[in-house]
Coordinates of all heavy atoms in Angstrom, one line a residue:
V240 N 138.1 103.5 79.3 CA 138.7 104.8 79.5 C 139.4 104.8 80.9 O 140.6 105.3 81.1 CB 137.6 106.0 79.5 CG1 138.3 107.3 80.1 CG2 137.1 106.1 78.2
I241 N 138.8 104.2 82.0 CA 139.4 104.3 83.4 C 140.7 103.4 83.4 O 141.6 103.9 84.0 CB 138.4 103.9 84.4 CG1 137.2 105.1 84.4 CG2 139.0 103.8 85.7 CD1 136.1 104.7 85.1
H242 N 140.5 102.1 82.9 CA 141.7 101.4 83.2 C 142.6 101.2 82.1 O 143.7 100.8 82.4 CB 141.0 99.9 83.4 CG 140.1 99.8 84.6 ND1 140.6 99.9 85.9 CD2 138.7 99.6 84.8 CE1 139.6 99.8 86.8 NE2 138.4 99.7 86.1
H243 N 142.2 101.5 80.9 CA 143.2 101.4 79.8 C 143.0 102.7 78.8 O 142.6 102.7 77.7 CB 143.0 100.2 79.0 CG 143.1 98.9 79.7 ND1 144.2 98.4 80.2 CD2 142.1 98.1 80.2 CE1 144.1 97.3 80.8 NE2 142.7 97.1 80.9
P244 N 143.4 103.9 79.3 CA 143.2 105.1 78.5 C 144.0 105.0 77.3 O 145.1 104.6 77.3 CB 143.7 106.3 79.4 CG 144.5 105.6 80.5 CD 143.9 104.1 80.7
A245 N 143.4 105.5 76.1 CA 144.0 105.4 74.9 C 144.7 106.6 74.3 O 145.5 106.7 73.4 CB 143.0 104.9 73.8
H246 N 144.6 107.7 75.0 CA 145.1 108.9 74.7 C 146.1 109.4 75.8 O 145.6 109.3 77.1 CB 144.1 110.0 74.4 CG 144.7 111.3 73.7 ND1 145.3 112.2 74.5 CD2 144.6 111.6 72.5 CE1 145.7 113.2 73.6 NE2 145.3 112.9 72.5
P247 N 147.3 109.9 75.6 CA 148.1 110.4 76.6 C 147.4 111.4 77.6 O 147.7 111.4 78.9 CB 149.3 111.1 76.0 CG 149.3 110.4 74.7 CD 147.9 110.2 74.3
Y248 N 146.6 112.3 77.1 CA 145.8 113.3 78.0 C 144.9 112.5 79.0 O 145.0 112.8 80.2 CB 145.1 114.3 77.2 CG 144.4 115.3 77.9 CD1 145.1 116.3 78.7 CD2 142.9 115.2 78.2 CE1 144.4 117.2 79.4 CE2 142.3 116.3 79.0 CZ 143.1 117.1 79.6 OH 142.3 118.2 80.3
T249 N 144.2 111.5 78.4 CA 143.3 110.8 79.3 C 144.2 110.0 80.4 O 143.8 110.0 81.6 CB 142.5 109.8 78.6 OG1 141.8 110.6 77.5 CG2 141.5 109.1 79.5
A250 N 145.3 109.5 80.0 CA 146.1 108.8 81.0 C 146.7 109.7 82.0 O 146.7 109.3 83.2 CB 147.3 108.1 80.2
G251 N 147.0 110.9 81.6 CA 147.4 111.9 82.5 C 146.3 112.4 83.6 O 146.6 112.4 84.8
L252 N 145.1 112.5 83.1 CA 144.0 112.7 84.0 C 143.8 111.5 84.9 O 143.6 111.8 86.2 CB 142.7 113.0 83.2 CG 142.7 114.2 82.4 CD1 141.3 114.3 81.6 CD2 142.8 115.5 83.2
M253 N 143.8 110.4 84.5 CA 143.5 109.2 85.4 C 144.5 109.1 86.4 O 144.4 108.7 87.6 CB 143.4 108.0 84.5 CG 142.3 108.0 83.5 SD 140.6 108.4 84.2 CE 140.3 107.2 85.4
A254 N 145.9 109.4 86.0 CA 146.9 109.3 86.9 C 146.9 110.4 88.0 O 147.5 110.2 89.2 CB 148.2 109.4 86.3
S255 N 146.1 111.5 87.8 CA 146.0 112.5 88.8 C 144.8 112.2 89.9 O 144.8 113.1 90.8 CB 145.7 113.9 88.1 OG 144.4 113.9 87.6
I256 N 144.1 111.1 89.7 CA 143.1 110.8 90.8 C 143.8 110.3 92.1 O 144.7 109.4 92.0 CB 142.1 109.9 90.2 CG1 141.4 110.4 88.9 CG2 141.1 109.2 91.3 CD1 140.6 109.4 88.3
P257 N 143.5 110.8 93.2 CA 144.0 110.4 94.4 C 143.7 108.9 94.7 O 142.6 108.4 94.3 CB 143.3 111.3 95.5 CG 142.7 112.3 94.8 CD 142.5 111.9 93.4
D258 N 144.7 108.2 95.2 CA 144.4 106.7 95.6 C 144.5 106.7 97.1 O 145.5 107.1 97.7 CB 145.6 105.9 94.9 CG 145.5 104.4 95.3 OD1 144.5 104.0 95.9 OD2 146.4 103.7 94.9
M259 N 143.3 106.3 97.7 CA 143.3 106.2 99.1 C 144.2 105.3 99.8 O 144.4 105.3 101.0 CB 141.9 105.9 99.6 CG 140.9 107.0 99.1 SD 141.3 108.6 99.3 CE 140.9 108.9 101.0
D260 N 144.8 104.3 99.0 CA 145.6 103.2 99.6 C 147.1 103.7 99.4 O 148.0 103.0 99.7 CB 145.4 102.0 98.8 CG 144.2 101.4 99.0 OD1 143.5 101.5 100.1 OD2 143.6 100.6 98.2
S261 N 147.4 104.8 98.9 CA 148.7 105.3 98.6 C 149.1 106.4 99.6 O 148.3 107.2 99.9 CB 148.9 105.8 97.2 OG 150.2 106.2 96.9
D262 N 150.4 106.6 99.8 CA 150.9 107.7 100.7 C 151.7 108.7 100.0 O 152.6 109.3 100.3 CB 151.9 107.1 101.8 CG 151.1 106.4 102.9 OD1 149.9 106.5 103.1 OD2 151.7 105.4 103.4
R263 N 151.2 108.9 98.6 CA 151.9 110.0 98.0 C 151.7 111.3 98.5 O 150.7 111.7 99.0 CB 151.4 110.0 96.4 CG 151.5 108.8 95.6 CD 151.1 108.9 94.3 NE 149.7 109.0 94.1 CZ 149.0 109.2 92.9 NH1 149.6 109.2 91.9 NH2 147.7 109.2 92.9
E264 N 152.7 112.1 98.5 CA 152.6 113.4 98.9 C 152.1 114.3 97.9 O 151.4 115.4 98.2 CB 154.0 114.0 99.3 CG 154.6 113.3 100.6 CD 155.8 113.9 101.1 OE1 156.1 115.0 100.8 OE2 156.6 113.2 101.9
R265 N 152.3 114.0 96.6 CA 151.8 115.0 95.5 C 151.1 114.0 94.5 O 151.5 112.9 94.2 CB 152.9 115.7 94.9 CG 153.7 116.7 95.7 CD 154.8 117.3 94.9 NE 154.4 117.9 93.6 CZ 153.9 119.1 93.4 NH1 153.9 120.0 94.5 NH2 153.7 119.5 92.2
L266 N 150.0 114.6 93.9 CA 149.3 113.9 92.8 C 150.2 114.0 91.5 O 150.8 115.0 91.4 CB 148.0 114.4 92.8 CG 147.1 114.3 93.7 CD1 145.7 114.9 93.5 CD2 146.8 112.8 94.1
A267 N 150.1 113.1 90.7 CA 150.6 113.3 89.3 C 150.0 114.5 88.6 O 148.8 114.8 89.0 CB 150.4 111.9 88.5
Q268 N 150.6 115.2 87.8 CA 150.0 116.3 87.1 C 150.5 116.3 85.6 O 151.5 115.7 85.3 CB 150.4 117.5 87.7 CG 151.8 118.0 87.8 CD 152.1 119.3 88.5 OE1 151.4 119.5 89.4 NE2 153.1 119.9 88.2
I269 N 149.7 117.0 84.8 CA 150.0 117.1 83.4 C 150.8 118.4 83.4 O 150.2 119.5 83.7 CB 148.8 117.1 82.4 CG1 148.2 115.9 82.6 CG2 149.2 117.4 81.1 CD1 146.8 115.7 81.9
D270 N 152.0 118.6 82.9 CA 152.8 119.8 82.9 C 152.2 120.7 81.8 O 151.4 120.4 80.9 CB 154.2 119.5 82.5 CG 154.9 118.9 83.6 OD1 154.6 119.0 84.7 OD2 156.0 118.1 83.3
G271 N 152.4 122.0 82.0 CA 151.9 123.0 81.1 C 150.6 123.5 81.5 O 149.9 123.1 82.5
A272 N 150.0 124.3 80.5 CA 148.6 124.8 80.8 C 147.7 124.6 79.4 O 148.4 124.4 78.4 CB 148.6 126.3 81.1
M273 N 146.5 124.5 79.6 CA 145.7 124.4 78.4 C 145.8 125.7 77.4 O 146.0 126.8 78.1 CB 144.2 124.2 78.8 CG 144.0 123.0 79.5 SD 142.1 122.8 79.9 CE 141.3 123.1 78.4
P274 N 145.9 125.5 76.2 CA 146.0 126.7 75.3 C 144.8 127.5 75.4 O 143.6 127.1 75.6 CB 146.2 126.0 73.9 CG 145.6 124.7 73.9 CD 145.8 124.3 75.4
R275 N 144.9 128.8 75.1 CA 143.8 129.7 74.9 C 143.0 129.2 73.7 O 143.6 128.8 72.6 CB 144.2 131.2 74.7 CG 144.9 131.7 76.0 CD 145.3 133.2 75.7 NE 146.2 133.6 76.8 CZ 145.6 134.5 77.8 NH1 144.4 134.9 77.5 NH2 146.2 134.9 78.7
L276 N 141.6 129.5 73.7 CA 141.0 129.1 72.4 C 141.3 129.7 71.1 O 141.1 129.3 70.1 CB 139.5 129.2 72.6 CG 138.9 128.3 73.8 CD1 137.3 128.6 74.0 CD2 139.1 126.9 73.5
N277 N 142.0 130.9 71.3 CA 142.4 131.7 70.1 C 143.9 131.3 69.8 O 144.5 132.0 68.9 CB 142.2 133.2 70.3 CG 143.0 133.8 71.4 OD1 143.7 133.1 72.2 ND2 143.0 135.2 71.6
A278 N 144.5 130.4 70.5 CA 145.9 130.1 70.3 C 146.1 128.6 70.3 O 147.1 128.1 70.9 CB 146.7 130.8 71.4
I279 N 145.2 127.7 69.9 CA 145.2 126.3 69.8 C 146.5 125.9 68.9 O 146.5 126.5 67.7 CB 144.0 125.7 69.4 CG1 143.0 125.9 70.6 CG2 144.1 124.1 69.3 CD1 141.6 125.5 70.3
P280 N 147.3 125.2 69.2 CA 148.4 124.8 68.3 C 148.1 124.0 67.1 O 147.0 123.4 67.1 CB 149.4 124.1 69.2 CG 148.5 123.4 70.2 CD 147.3 124.4 70.5
S281 N 148.9 124.1 66.1 CA 148.6 123.3 65.0 C 148.9 121.8 65.3 O 149.4 121.5 66.3 CB 149.4 123.5 63.7 OG 150.8 123.4 64.2
G282 N 148.3 120.9 64.5 CA 148.4 119.4 64.8 C 147.5 119.1 66.1 O 146.4 119.6 66.2
C283 N 148.0 118.2 66.8 CA 147.1 117.8 68.1 C 147.1 118.8 69.0 O 148.2 119.5 69.4 CB 147.6 116.4 68.6 SG 147.0 116.0 70.2
A284 N 146.0 119.2 69.5 CA 145.8 120.3 70.4 C 146.5 120.1 71.8 O 146.9 121.0 72.5 CB 144.4 120.6 70.7
F285 N 146.9 118.8 72.0 CA 147.5 118.4 73.2 C 149.1 118.4 73.1 O 149.8 118.3 74.1 CB 147.0 117.0 73.8 CG 147.5 116.6 75.1 CD1 147.2 117.4 76.2 CD2 148.2 115.4 75.2 CE1 147.8 116.9 77.5 CE2 148.8 114.9 76.4 CZ 148.5 115.7 77.5
N286 N 149.6 118.5 71.9 CA 151.0 118.3 71.7 C 152.0 119.1 72.6 O 153.0 118.6 72.9 CB 151.4 118.4 70.2 CG 151.4 119.9 69.6 OD1 152.1 120.7 70.2 ND2 150.7 120.1 68.6
P287 N 151.6 120.3 73.1 CA 152.6 121.0 73.9 C 152.8 120.5 75.3 O 153.8 120.6 75.9 CB 152.0 122.5 74.0 CG 151.1 122.6 72.9 CD 150.5 121.2 72.6
R288 N 151.8 119.6 75.7 CA 151.8 118.9 77.0 C 152.0 117.5 76.9 O 152.0 116.9 78.1 CB 150.5 119.3 77.7 CG 150.3 120.8 77.7 CD 148.9 121.2 78.2 NE 148.7 120.8 79.6 CZ 147.6 120.7 80.2 NH1 146.4 120.8 79.7 NH2 147.4 120.3 81.4
C289 N 152.2 116.9 75.8 CA 152.1 115.4 75.7 C 153.6 114.9 75.9 O 154.6 115.4 75.5 CB 151.7 115.0 74.4 SG 151.6 113.2 74.2
T290 N 153.7 113.9 76.7 CA 155.1 113.2 77.0 C 155.4 112.3 75.8 O 156.6 111.9 75.9 CB 155.0 112.4 78.3 OG1 154.0 111.4 78.2 CG2 154.6 113.3 79.5
Q291 N 154.5 112.0 74.9 CA 154.8 111.2 73.8 C 154.6 111.8 72.4 O 154.4 111.2 71.4 CB 153.8 110.0 73.9 CG 154.0 109.2 75.2 CD 153.0 108.0 75.2 OE1 153.2 107.1 74.3 NE2 152.3 107.9 76.2
V292 N 154.8 113.1 72.4 CA 154.7 113.9 71.1 C 155.8 113.5 70.2 O 156.9 113.2 70.5 CB 154.7 115.5 71.5 CG1 156.1 115.9 72.0 CG2 154.3 116.2 70.3
H293 N 155.4 113.5 68.9 CA 156.4 113.4 67.8 C 156.1 114.3 66.7 O 155.1 115.0 66.8 CB 156.5 111.8 67.4 CG 155.2 111.2 67.1 ND1 154.6 111.2 65.9 CD2 154.3 110.5 68.0 CE1 153.5 110.7 65.9 NE2 153.2 110.1 67.1
A294 N 156.9 114.1 65.6 CA 156.6 115.2 64.6 C 155.4 115.3 63.9 O 154.7 116.4 63.7 CB 157.8 114.9 63.4
R295 N 154.7 114.2 63.7 CA 153.4 114.3 63.1 C 152.4 115.0 64.0 O 151.3 115.6 63.6 CB 152.9 112.8 62.8 CG 151.6 112.9 61.9 CD 151.3 111.5 61.4 NE 150.2 111.6 60.5 CZ 149.6 110.5 59.9 NH1 150.0 109.3 60.2 NH2 148.6 110.8 59.1
C296 N 152.5 114.9 65.2 CA 151.5 115.5 66.3 C 151.7 117.0 66.1 O 150.7 117.8 66.5 CB 152.0 115.1 67.8 SG 151.9 113.4 68.2
L297 N 152.8 117.5 65.7 CA 153.1 118.9 65.6 C 152.4 119.5 64.4 O 152.1 120.6 64.3 CB 154.5 119.2 65.7 CG 155.2 118.8 66.9 CD1 156.7 119.1 66.7 CD2 154.7 119.5 68.1
A298 N 152.2 118.6 63.3 CA 151.8 119.1 62.0 C 150.4 118.7 61.7 O 149.6 119.6 61.1 CB 152.7 118.5 61.0
D299 N 149.8 117.6 62.1 CA 148.6 117.1 61.7 C 147.6 116.8 62.8 O 148.1 116.1 63.7 CB 148.7 115.9 60.7 CG 149.6 115.9 59.6 OD1 149.4 116.9 58.9 OD2 150.4 115.1 59.3
R300 N 146.4 117.3 62.6 CA 145.4 117.1 63.8 C 144.8 115.7 63.5 O 144.3 115.4 62.4 CB 144.3 118.1 63.8 CG 143.3 118.0 64.9 CD 142.4 119.2 65.0 NE 143.2 120.3 65.0 CZ 143.6 121.0 66.1 NH1 143.4 120.4 67.3 NH2 144.2 122.1 66.2
P301 N 144.9 114.7 64.5 CA 144.4 113.4 64.3 C 142.9 113.4 64.3 O 142.2 114.1 65.1 CB 145.1 112.6 65.4 CG 145.1 113.7 66.5 CD 145.5 115.0 65.8
E302 N 142.5 112.5 63.5 CA 140.9 112.0 63.6 C 140.8 111.0 64.6 O 141.7 110.3 65.0 CB 140.4 111.8 62.3 CG 140.5 112.9 61.3 CD 139.5 114.1 61.6 OE1 138.5 113.8 62.2 OE2 139.9 115.3 61.3
L303 N 139.5 110.6 64.9 CA 139.3 109.3 65.8 C 139.7 108.2 65.0 O 139.5 108.1 63.8 CB 137.8 109.3 66.1 CG 137.3 110.1 67.3 CD1 135.8 110.0 67.5 CD2 138.1 109.6 68.6
M304 N 140.5 107.3 65.6 CA 140.8 106.1 65.0 C 140.8 104.9 66.0 O 140.8 105.1 67.2 CB 142.2 106.2 64.4 CG 143.4 106.6 65.3 SD 145.0 107.0 64.6 CE 144.6 108.7 64.2
A305 N 140.9 103.7 65.5 CA 140.8 102.6 66.3 C 141.9 102.6 67.4 O 143.1 102.8 67.0 CB 140.8 101.2 65.5
A306 N 141.6 102.3 68.5 CA 142.7 102.2 69.7 C 142.3 101.0 70.5 O 141.6 101.2 71.6 CB 142.7 103.5 70.4
G307 N 142.6 99.8 70.2 CA 142.2 98.6 70.8 C 140.6 98.3 70.7 O 140.0 98.5 69.7
A308 N 140.1 98.4 71.9 CA 138.5 98.3 72.0 C 137.8 99.6 71.9 O 136.6 99.6 71.9 CB 138.2 97.5 73.3
T309 N 138.6 100.6 71.8 CA 138.0 101.9 71.7 C 138.5 102.7 70.6 O 139.0 102.2 69.6 CB 138.2 102.7 73.0 OG1 137.4 103.8 73.2 CG2 139.6 102.9 73.4
R310 N 138.3 104.0 70.5 CA 138.9 104.9 69.5 C 139.5 106.1 70.3 O 139.1 106.5 71.5 CB 137.8 105.4 68.6 CG 137.2 104.3 67.8 CD 136.2 104.7 66.8 NE 135.1 105.6 67.4 CZ 134.4 106.5 66.6 NH1 134.5 106.4 65.3 NH2 133.5 107.2 67.0
A311 N 140.5 106.7 69.6 CA 141.2 108.0 70.2 C 141.6 108.7 69.0 O 142.0 108.3 68.0 CB 142.3 107.4 71.0
A312 N 141.7 110.1 69.3 CA 142.2 111.0 68.3 C 143.7 111.2 68.6 O 144.1 112.2 69.3 CB 141.5 112.4 68.3
C313 N 144.6 110.2 68.3 CA 145.9 110.2 68.8 C 146.7 109.5 67.7 O 146.5 108.3 67.5 CB 146.1 109.6 70.2 SG 147.7 109.7 70.8
W314 N 147.8 110.1 67.2 CA 148.7 109.4 66.3 C 149.4 108.3 66.7 O 149.9 107.5 66.0 CB 149.8 110.5 65.7 CG 149.0 111.5 64.9 CD1 149.0 112.8 65.1 CD2 148.2 111.3 63.6 NE1 148.3 113.4 64.1 CE2 147.9 112.5 63.3 CE3 147.9 110.2 62.9 CZ2 147.1 112.8 62.1 CZ3 147.1 110.4 61.8 CH2 146.7 111.6 61.5
L315 N 149.4 108.0 68.1 CA 150.0 106.8 68.7 C 149.3 105.6 68.1 O 149.9 104.4 68.1 CB 150.1 106.9 70.2 CG 150.9 107.9 70.8 CD1 150.7 107.9 72.3 CD2 152.4 107.7 70.5
H316 N 148.1 105.7 67.7 CA 147.3 104.5 67.3 C 147.2 104.5 65.8 O 146.5 103.6 65.2 CB 146.0 104.6 67.8 CG 145.9 104.6 69.4 ND1 146.3 103.6 70.1 CD2 145.7 105.6 70.3 CE1 146.2 103.9 71.5 NE2 146.0 105.1 71.5
A317 N 147.9 105.3 65.0 CA 147.9 105.4 63.6 C 148.3 103.9 62.9 O 147.5 103.5 62.0 CB 148.7 106.4 62.9
A318 N 149.2 103.4 63.3 CA 149.7 102.1 62.8 C 148.6 100.9 63.0 O 148.2 100.2 62.3 CB 151.0 101.5 63.5
E319 N 147.9 101.1 64.2 CA 146.8 100.2 64.6 C 145.6 100.3 63.7 O 144.9 99.5 63.3 CB 146.4 100.4 66.1 CG 145.4 99.2 66.6 CD 145.3 99.4 68.0 OE1 146.3 99.6 68.8 OE2 144.1 99.3 68.5
A320 N 145.4 101.6 63.2 CA 144.3 101.9 62.4 C 144.4 101.5 60.9 O 143.5 101.4 60.2 CB 143.9 103.4 62.5
A321 N 145.6 101.4 60.6 CA 146.1 101.1 59.1 C 145.7 99.7 58.7 O 145.6 98.7 59.6 CB 147.5 101.4 58.9

């Protein structure tokens, strides 16, 4: 999870951790805001904030699938799971 995140949300979270060896003025951030629990979008719940969103993400909610040595609920790994 830390070195090879399999989901774009996890990658965004890991990128937002401060690096003591870097002189960045701003931390990386995930654009947008989490949806309200009564307004979760169809498809992948992360799709409004994902930088790699595609049509299937908007329509179908992914289940956990193989993602290298781990699993992720992300359509980016659908070909790998087949």
Side-chain angles (χ1 to χ4, degrees):
V240 170
I241 294 171
H242 298 291
H243 303 288
H246 192 281
Y248 180 71
T249 309
L252 289 176
M253 297 311 299
S255 68
I256 296 172
D258 179 2
M259 301 309 283
D260 297 328
S261 177
D262 289 335
R263 291 188 294 185
E264 290 186 25
R265 293 181 51 93
L266 296 176
Q268 64 184 29
I269 299 171
D270 291 334
M273 292 178 57
R275 295 176 185 258
L276 292 178
N277 64 353
I279 294 175
S281 59
C283 175
F285 184 59
N286 77 55
R288 303 173 66 198
C289 186
T290 59
Q291 300 181 55
V292 67
H293 51 85
R295 190 168 188 187
C296 304
L297 302 174
D299 301 320
R300 186 170 307 273
E302 298 292 330
L303 278 176
M304 59 190 80
T309 188
R310 297 185 309 160
C313 182
W314 291 121
L315 295 174
H316 302 287
E319 191 174 317

